[in-house]
């Protein structure tokens, strides 16, 4: 158990044992007073009976009290304590009937320290032996003997009833304590597993982020280094362009690394919309970007997943589709979904034959994190299409003044993404351009850099 629970349980038990101490002291003192003030038998007999009661106090403090505080007391110590206690009690109770009041102090101890069968035997001895031995010693009249026997039977019945209740309470308390211990252990195990799962999930997330950003950037740098080495001797202008692209890629990697450390949005999405980020990504890979549907501000989660999915799909296409393959990105905004597709007309592959690897598995896991799906459609010689479908809010996200109902693309002309001003003209249909980005909400043609 925890330290707090243990402290609370010890405090509660301390209060309980103090109540038993008080109860024993009151019952013992009352018995002693009755014995000393009884009218008969004579004073020497009553003094002897009182003297036999005196050792019960140190006997209880030395042996009985520690046994009552133990959850499962040792059987031999219990027998030794109860044997001495009952012997002193019976000796006093046989001499004078007033000593039988101590029965109320001894019977609960029998049920608290013995099993039910042993407790019933001890209780029977405590209730009946004083009556039988007293009848043999003092030869009382028939009416008096009948009254004493009836009183003993009533006391025995009451003792069995109360003792059974005590044993049930003790059993329930032990079961409850075991249940609390199991629940506490389960809670600690759940907390440990939760922490381990959280660490594993964070490790997987960082692995996906590094794989989709830094690792892809380093791969690009290596390919550009190889290209520059081959071009230095016969095509210096092209080598310079590739060096400039290496500089841009290294800066992009540095920005992504800083974003990972800071836990912020990806560098491409920092201060830009998703179509803008995909436009820059398409330009770096020489792909065609097509945007359809009413472009609107979305939560960061789906936009990050869409961007990372495009990065992973384009990197895979560049590695596996073949150099002459044409690349295309399609971004579609719908009422409750955001769909991004990356296609190439390269050599293709059989998706069922793919085993191992991290790219496609990470792509599906990333989409599943926000409740989306990822699918791959390909065949040998027929190209590849990677499609990621993500759930998004149907209403636009309020990002500041001028947004919200009545101002979005569904209610009038779209604002110019560069100036925020209304163009005053209907939205044109989507265009497909290579190395450029144009969509319904972007009527101007904005050139972007493309990878040579």
């Amino acid at each position: 158990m925890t330290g707090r629970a243990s402290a609370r349980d010890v405090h509660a038990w301390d209060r309980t044992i103090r109540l038993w101490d008080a109860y024993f002291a009151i019952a013992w003192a009352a018995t002693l007073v009755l014995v000393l003030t009884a009218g008969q038998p004579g004073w020497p007999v009553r003094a002897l009976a009182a003297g036999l009661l005196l050792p019960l106090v140190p006997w209880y403090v030395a042996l009985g009290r520690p046994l009552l505080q133990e959850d499962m007391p040792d059987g031999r110590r219990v027998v030794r304590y109860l044997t001495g206690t009952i012997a002193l009690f019976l000796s006093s109770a046989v001499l004078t009937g007033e000593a039988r009041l101590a029965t109320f102090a001894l019977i609960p101890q029998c049920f608290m320290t013995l099993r039910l069968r042993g407790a019933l035997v001890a209780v029977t001895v405590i209730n009946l032996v004083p009556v039988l031995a007293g009848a043999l010693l003092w030869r009382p009249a028939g009416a008096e003997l009948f009254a004493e026997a009836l009183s003993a039977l009533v006391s025995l019945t009451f003792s069995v009833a109360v003792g059974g209740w005590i044993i049930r309470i003790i059993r329930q308390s032990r079961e409850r304590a075991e249940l609390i211990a199991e629940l506490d252990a389960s809670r600690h195990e759940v907390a440990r597993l939760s922490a381990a799962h959280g660490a594993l999930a964070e490790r997987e997330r960082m692995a996906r982020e590094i794989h989709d950003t830094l690792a892809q950037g380093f791969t690009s740098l290596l390919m550009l280094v190889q290209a520059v080495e081959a071009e230095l001797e016969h095509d210096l202008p092209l080598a310079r362009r590739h060096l400039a692209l290496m500089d841009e890629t290294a800066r992009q990697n540095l920005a992504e690394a800083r974003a990972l450390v800071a836990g912020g949005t990806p560098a491409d999405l920092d201060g830009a919309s998703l179509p803008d980020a995909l436009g820059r990504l398409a330009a770096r890979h020489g792909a065609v970007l097509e945007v359809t549907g009413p472009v609107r501000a979305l939560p960061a989660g789906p936009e990050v997943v869409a961007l990372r999915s495009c990065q992973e799909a384009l990197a895979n296409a560049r590695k596996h589709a073949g150099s002459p393959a044409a690349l295309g990105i399609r971004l579609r905004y719908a009422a409750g979904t955001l769909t991004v597709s990356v296609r190439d007309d390269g050599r293709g592959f059989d998706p069922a034959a793919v085993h191992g690897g991290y790219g496609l598995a990470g792509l599906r896991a990333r989409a599943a994190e926000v409740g989306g799906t990822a699918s791959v459609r390909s065949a040998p010689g027929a190209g590849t299409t990677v499609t990621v479908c993500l759930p998004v809010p149907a209403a636009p996200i309020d990002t500041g003044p001028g947004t919200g109902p009545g101002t979005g693309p569904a209610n009038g002309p779209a604002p110019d993404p560069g100036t925020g001003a209304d163009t005053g003209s209907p939205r044109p249909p989507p265009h497909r351009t290579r190395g450029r980005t144009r969509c319904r909400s972007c009527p101007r043609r904005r050139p972007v850099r493309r990878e040579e």
Side-chain angles (χ1 to χ4, degrees):
M1 289 189 177
T2 62
R4 181 180 299 178
S6 299
R8 183 172 62 247
D9 294 342
V10 169
H11 177 64
W13 179 248
D14 284 345
R15 289 184 298 171
T16 302
I17 195 61
R18 283 195 290 270
L19 290 176
W20 282 114
D21 292 342
Y23 174 75
F24 178 83
I26 292 173
W28 178 85
T31 303
L32 187 63
V33 170
L34 287 178
V35 169
L36 292 177
T37 59
Q40 56 179 339
W43 170 251
V45 176
R46 286 185 283 119
L48 178 59
L52 292 172
L53 293 176
L54 292 178
L56 289 178
V57 175
W59 189 250
Y60 168 79
V61 173
L63 295 180
R65 193 174 189 274
L67 290 174
L68 296 182
Q69 296 182 81
E70 295 180 9
D71 185 33
M72 297 292 292
D74 179 65
R76 287 177 295 181
R77 292 170 54 207
V78 170
V79 170
R80 182 165 60 250
Y81 167 70
L82 289 180
T83 300
T85 300
I86 294 174
L88 291 172
F89 164 74
L90 292 178
S91 301
S92 178
V94 169
L95 295 175
T96 175
E98 286 75 6
R100 297 171 193 172
L101 182 63
T103 300
F104 293 98
L106 302 182
I107 288 176
Q109 297 183 26
C110 296
F111 285 103
M112 293 171 66
T113 55
L114 293 172
R115 296 184 180 275
L116 181 59
R117 182 177 300 177
L120 291 177
V121 172
V123 167
T124 302
V125 171
I126 290 173
N127 282 280
L128 299 183
V129 169
V131 177
L132 297 176
L136 295 176
L137 179 63
W138 301 108
R139 304 288 181 175
E144 183 180 353
L145 180 60
F146 176 77
E148 291 182 357
L150 184 61
S151 176
L153 291 176
V154 172
S155 176
L156 177 61
T157 303
F158 176 78
S159 301
V160 171
V162 173
W165 175 77
I166 291 175
I167 286 184
R168 285 196 301 272
I169 292 298
I170 293 175
R171 184 182 298 115
Q172 291 176 1
S173 298
R174 289 173 179 170
E175 292 174 354
R176 188 178 296 111
E178 293 175 358
L179 179 60
I180 291 174
E182 292 176 1
L183 290 176
D184 193 67
S186 300
R187 185 182 63 182
H188 284 291
E189 181 67 13
V190 169
R192 185 187 67 81
L193 293 177
S194 178
H197 178 73
L200 179 61
E202 180 63 15
R203 188 181 300 113
E204 291 178 350
R205 187 190 71 83
M206 290 298 297
R208 287 195 298 269
E209 293 290 336
I210 294 173
H211 179 271
D212 294 344
T213 56
L214 301 181
Q216 304 295 349
F218 290 139
T219 302
S220 299
L221 287 174
L222 288 175
M223 295 176 64
L224 289 170
V225 167
Q226 295 172 359
V228 169
E229 288 178 348
E231 295 160 356
L232 281 176
E233 296 182 358
H234 62 275
D235 196 344
L236 194 57
L238 183 58
R240 288 196 180 97
R241 287 197 295 272
H242 281 164
L243 285 174
L245 188 57
M246 289 173 60
D247 179 82
E248 180 184 352
T249 303
R251 293 179 184 276
Q252 181 71 18
N253 255 26
L254 180 59
E256 292 288 0
R258 287 171 175 169
L260 286 177
V261 172
T265 58
D268 282 331
L269 284 175
D270 190 14
S273 66
L274 179 59
D276 291 337
L278 293 183
R280 289 192 292 269
L281 183 63
R284 290 198 296 268
H285 289 269
V288 176
L289 173 63
E290 177 184 348
V291 182
T292 61
V295 178
R296 61 187 186 276
L298 297 175
E303 289 192 341
V304 171
V305 172
L307 176 62
R308 296 304 191 209
S309 300
C310 282
Q311 289 174 331
E312 174 62 22
L314 289 173
N316 285 338
R318 185 174 55 188
K319 287 189 294 186
H320 304 296
S323 55
L327 301 176
I329 303 174
R330 179 184 175 91
L331 179 65
R332 179 175 180 271
Y333 287 84
T337 58
L338 176 68
T339 305
V340 59
S341 300
V342 178
R343 63 190 181 280
D344 67 72
D345 58 359
R347 62 174 62 100
F349 66 98
D350 182 8
V354 177
H355 298 286
Y358 189 84
L360 295 180
L363 190 146
R364 293 189 178 96
R366 187 187 291 278
E369 281 184 353
V370 294
T373 58
S375 61
V376 179
R377 187 174 71 253
S378 181
T384 302
T385 301
V386 177
T387 303
V388 176
C389 185
L390 308 173
V392 296
I397 303 299
D398 186 5
T399 57
T403 63
T407 63
N411 299 284
D416 186 282
T419 63
D422 195 334
T423 62
S425 59
R427 292 185 296 272
H431 289 261
R432 302 172 66 182
T433 57
R434 188 172 185 85
R436 300 177 184 271
T437 303
R438 191 173 182 186
C439 62
R440 286 184 177 182
S441 63
C442 305
R444 293 188 306 136
R445 299 183 64 183
R446 179 170 56 83
V448 294
R449 298 180 61 181
R450 58 174 292 185
E451 179 182 352
E452 298 294 340

